[in-house]
Amino acid sequence: MPKLNVILRKEDIDPAFLHDKVVVVIDVLFTTSSIATALHYGAAEVQPMHSHQQASEAIRGLAEGSYLLAGENQLRRIPGFADYLPLSLITLPLAGRRLMFCNTNGTVALHQASSARHVYAAALLNGPAIVRQLQTHPDHSIVLLCSGYAGRANLEDLFTAGYLIEQLMRTSPGIWQTTDTCSIASAVYRQYADNPEACLLDSQLGRHLAANSMHEEISYTAQIGLFDVVPHLSGQCLVPLSV
């Protein structure tokens, strides 16, 4: 029987462990929310970058107007890059362009997960679509990878992992064995199931962001199932699947 597992933070990843797994990377505030938003609003692909230096090098030779640069470093927008926040990305001319995207946690986790059989990016915004996509992998073990924040596990990523687990166990009972970390994530989800925004605002990162005038972004990010895009890692880029 395949397993359903949760990794609490990106620092705990063993790439060799992932090679035959389906991995779902979660960084709700805000990487995976921003990636799902960008693809939903027409970006051709999103290329996660380790750093802004790598992003700047990657655009050499690309046609002007075929790409956009966006990202943050330690929650600060990188000079010369567009803002990394999902509502800010909506205002950009995304249609048909490649988005070069880098940040402190989520894009690092995506790189670290790239050895897996399949890699998806999940947020609350596209949570139901991710559940439907995972149901197409009943014979593979699934790893829900929480990016964490500053080397620590965080509440909002655990909540999202718990949401995915609860939906999978409800719609496809008896398929997967679960681990203790699944129970932890499910407990977090159940505590806040009726109010996802409260979970995000109760988290350490959420409190910090709200204190810095990002409450609107948090409210947007807390919506479950706003759209159906499934970001799937193909080569070095995330491309949209529709399910």
Side-chain angles (χ1 to χ4, degrees):
M1 180 180 290
K3 290 184 178 180
L4 186 58
N5 190 13
V6 176
I7 295 179
L8 302 179
R9 57 189 196 127
K10 64 184 181 300
E11 287 78 9
D12 297 328
I13 298 171
D14 177 1
F17 169 73
L18 300 180
H19 80 278
D20 61 345
K21 310 293 193 303
V22 174
V23 176
V24 181
V25 175
I26 303 168
D27 183 5
V28 175
L29 297 174
F30 287 103
T31 302
T32 51
S33 299
S34 294
I35 288 170
T37 296
L39 292 175
H40 173 74
Y41 280 93
E45 55 191 20
V46 177
Q47 185 167 353
M49 314 301 293
H50 276 299
S51 65
H52 66 278
Q53 293 93 340
Q54 185 191 30
S56 298
E57 292 172 3
I59 64 174
R60 292 177 183 174
L62 296 181
E64 187 174 350
S66 67
Y67 64 87
L68 292 167
L69 292 167
E72 55 85 14
N73 183 31
Q74 302 300 329
L75 301 180
R76 295 182 180 179
R77 183 168 65 86
I78 299 167
F81 283 47
D83 205 337
Y84 66 100
L85 299 168
L87 288 177
S88 296
L89 288 175
I90 292 172
T91 67
L92 300 179
L94 293 165
R97 299 190 182 193
R98 176 187 296 183
L99 178 65
M100 305 293 194
F101 194 72
C102 59
N103 72 7
T104 309
N105 295 300
T107 56
V108 174
L110 284 161
H111 274 280
Q112 292 174 331
S114 61
S115 61
R117 182 184 294 267
H118 293 283
V119 179
Y120 301 106
L124 294 173
L125 293 168
N126 65 336
I130 292 292
V131 171
R132 293 193 294 273
Q133 182 62 25
L134 293 178
Q135 289 171 332
T136 70
H137 299 289
D139 299 323
H140 294 95
S141 291
I142 294 172
V143 176
L144 306 178
L145 171 57
C146 300
S147 297
Y149 173 63
R152 299 183 294 272
N154 62 19
L155 195 64
E156 67 275 12
D157 290 353
L158 275 172
F159 174 85
T160 305
Y163 166 81
L164 297 175
I165 292 163
E166 292 286 306
Q167 299 306 307
L168 286 169
M169 299 302 287
R170 180 179 62 83
T171 57
S172 304
I175 291 180
W176 292 286
Q177 289 182 315
T178 58
T179 62
D180 287 349
T181 51
C182 289
S183 298
I184 295 169
S186 290
V188 172
Y189 169 72
R190 291 169 188 164
Q191 180 178 351
Y192 290 98
D194 294 332
N195 194 346
E197 184 174 348
C199 175
L200 272 57
L201 289 170
D202 280 351
S203 71
Q204 179 181 352
L205 180 56
R207 294 194 303 271
H208 174 78
L209 295 170
N212 285 273
S213 304
M214 296 188 194
H215 199 141
E216 185 179 5
E217 296 281 357
I218 294 171
S219 296
Y220 168 81
T221 301
Q223 299 174 91
I224 295 178
L226 190 61
F227 37 72
D228 289 334
V229 69
V230 174
H232 178 253
L233 190 64
S234 177
Q236 295 181 332
C237 294
L238 291 150
V239 297
L241 301 179
S242 295
V243 297

